[in-house]
Amino acid sequence: MTGGEVAPVGLVLVAHASELARGAASVARQMAPDVAIEAVGGFWVDGLESLGTDVDSVLAAVSRQLDGGRDVVVLGDLGSAVLTAGLVLELLEPSGAARVRVPGGPFVEGAVAAAVRAAGGAGLDEVAAAAHDAASQWNGART
């Protein structure tokens, strides 16, 4: 992508804390500034953040991406964030849900890998695969 042109696939990063979601989004944006990335984290009650995920906030972020004409890859930091994303898929109209992927994979590395692929103009399934496959960098690593 070149300056100002937005990639056809956007990302929604779902974390249990807003700071974690924003941090991962910041790293991914550094690598792929032309990709629309939304960070959704924490659960707000009476103006205070609690750890958790909020279905309505994730649904709103996914809907904004879809309404902007982008397909969407949703990444979660923990299992229950992925469950939240799955619930969002169920709440979407079938035509919208068909344009969303929720791949497993590492949160930060997956976000960066997906953003870089999206910035290169890759399609939805390629971007989702990049997020999923990001964990392979650790195969065979020894400590």
Side-chain angles (χ1 to χ4, degrees), residues 5-31:
E5 187 179 345
V6 179
V9 179
L11 305 179
V12 174
L13 307 182
V14 183
H16 282 71
S18 61
E19 290 177 350
L20 178 56
R22 287 192 312 267
S26 178
V27 172
R29 281 188 198 109
Q30 289 284 323
M31 301 298 292

Side-chain angles (χ1 to χ4, degrees), residues 40-90:
V40 182
F43 191 83
W44 296 87
V45 178
D46 296 329
L48 299 174
E49 182 179 2
S50 296
L51 294 179
T53 59
D54 178 24
V55 171
D56 292 332
S57 295
V58 176
L59 178 59
V62 169
S63 295
R64 281 190 296 274
Q65 294 276 8
L66 292 171
D67 291 345
R70 292 176 292 280
D71 293 336
V72 188
V73 171
V74 182
L75 297 172
D77 66 337
L78 297 169
S80 59
V82 175
L83 291 174
T84 296
L87 180 55
V88 166
L89 281 174
E90 292 179 21

